Amino acid sequence: MAAVLDKATVIDGKAVAESVIETVKSAAAGLKDASGLVPGIAVVIVGEDPASQVYVASKGKKAKECGFHSVQHTLPDTTSEADLLALVDELNTDPQIHGILVQLPLPDHIDDGRVIQAINPEKDVDGFHVINAGKLTTGEIESAFVPCTPAGSMLLIERVRGKDLSGLTAVVVGRSNIVGKPMASLLLAANATVTIAHSRTPDLAATCRNADILVAAVGRPEMIKGDWVKPGATIIDVGINRIPAPERGEGKSRLVGDVAFAECAEVAGAITPVPGGVGPMTIAMLMANTVVSAYRHAGRTPPTF
Ligand code: GUN
């Protein structure tokens, strides 16, 4: 008789995110007591993308909860690139602001890259500036800002596998600058043997089957199937995809990840759910990066997460 596998542990991203937020709150309060400095974050949104509006509102709310000075700049989608760059410049020199986040995507007439590279790397709490990307790939993680989603995913992996991933194989599916590439750098820095797979990888299923740690960041609903998973693997599902759910009523939808959760949970050792996995970690790590930035600006040793 074949061995019966236990179902995977479901990794509670909400609980881990809450513990990060508690650390951020006490670090912010400690900095204020010690130096009078209040961490400040500016979030800039251009246009009316509904998903972006929801994300930005929740970032502002969480920042206030952490005791930060939080400002939102809401600009019309007709804003010129020059005007947006002028705002970034103003925030770069504003002593009350330690973190700047320009919500992406930007309208088509604005060059995302030009705007991101205009942010002072020391305030780039998204970790998207080439200086921060370069520091991460060269291993200068201590002084870098690491992009929030991979940083949060890494904390979840640590909870399951510890900090040293020596001897473990990690496969990252997706090669974006925001998730796939920085995720691979973090896993490599933790001594994992890392493969980045993507849409042109010939046998994706076989590649995934090698993974002790499988990170899915492709934006395709439920693409990773149960028979792609190595028994006992740790699965981190970065995808957030809204799909129709007619069973919930006409016009209803639901969120799913890039991983077919139920069938993969039969094989994996641990798996993140969607929602409630990586999602809450992203915003928690944005708060963590902002408080770290404030500590650096004050010349004090920042907390670690
Ligand atoms: N759009 C979707 N996710 C993000 C993010 O993490 N940062 C920014 N700036 N824009 C986004």
Side-chain angles (χ1 to χ4, degrees):
M1 199 177 89
V4 178
L5 288 165
D6 285 334
K7 276 218 172 86
T9 301
V10 178
I11 301 168
D12 187 348
K14 247 175 111 174
V16 180
E18 271 161 28
S19 77
V20 170
I21 291 296
E22 286 312 309
T23 306
V24 170
K25 281 183 191 169
S26 62
L31 183 64
K32 191 175 174 194
D33 285 348
S35 68
L37 197 71
V38 175
I41 183 168
V43 179
V44 181
I45 178 168
V46 185
E48 293 185 354
D49 179 65
S52 290
Q53 284 178 330
V54 171
Y55 289 138
V56 163
S58 59
K59 286 167 187 173
K61 188 165 162 247
K62 193 59 83 178
K64 291 204 174 89
E65 193 187 316
C66 290
F68 294 177
H69 165 62
S70 167
V71 291
Q72 181 177 328
H73 293 266
T74 307
L75 307 177
D77 62 6
T78 50
T79 302
S80 69
E81 187 177 287
D83 283 351
L84 181 56
L85 289 170
L87 172 60
V88 167
D89 219 30
E90 205 178 289
L91 296 169
N92 279 341
T93 53
D94 183 339
Q96 283 193 299
I97 296 298
H98 309 100
I100 302 170
L101 181 144
V102 178
Q103 186 69 20
L104 302 177
L106 290 168
D108 288 345
H109 66 275
I110 299 178
D111 180 342
D112 291 12
R114 197 170 293 151
V115 174
I116 297 300
Q117 302 316 323
I119 296 172
N120 177 351
E122 291 175 7
K123 295 188 177 186
D124 168 38
V125 285
D126 256 330
F128 294 168
H129 195 284
V130 290
I131 292 273
N132 286 311
K135 284 184 173 184
L136 175 57
T137 49
T138 54
E140 271 187 64
I141 295 181
E142 288 309 303
S143 70
F145 285 115
V146 176
C148 303
T149 299
S153 300
M154 205 59 201
L155 280 192
L156 298 181
I157 292 167
E158 277 176 22
R159 297 284 169 127
V160 180
R161 298 282 188 168
K163 280 184 188 284
D164 186 2
L165 306 178
S166 294
L168 296 176
T169 302
V171 175
V172 180
V173 188
R175 55 175 157 175
S176 70
N177 291 332
I178 294 178
V179 183
K181 288 178 201 166
M183 189 73 234
S185 295
L186 288 170
L187 289 160
L188 193 58
N191 302 318
T193 300
V194 183
T195 301
I196 303 181
H198 48 79
S199 55
R200 306 289 177 93
T201 298
D203 191 347
L204 196 50
T207 302
C208 290
R209 240 176 260 127
N210 281 326
D212 299 307
I213 297 164
L214 180 59
V215 181
V218 276
R220 283 169 158 254
E222 301 177 317
M223 187 185 82
I224 308 281
K225 305 299 183 199
D227 63 357
W228 297 23
V229 175
K230 181 173 176 174
T234 302
I235 304 182
I236 304 295
D237 189 351
V238 177
I240 301 177
N241 310 289
R242 192 165 279 289
I243 62 166
E247 72 280 3
R248 293 187 177 181
E250 205 187 308
K252 297 280 185 197
S253 64
R254 67 191 173 99
L255 292 179
V256 297
D258 293 347
V259 173
F261 181 86
E263 58 189 80
C264 290
E266 297 285 334
V267 189
I271 184 168
T272 60
V274 176
V278 173
M281 291 303 292
T282 297
I283 193 158
M285 297 320 288
L286 177 67
M287 301 303 129
N289 280 348
T290 304
V291 84
V292 164
S293 180
Y295 269 74
R296 288 180 187 159
H297 279 84
R300 289 176 182 267
T301 308
T304 50
F305 291 91

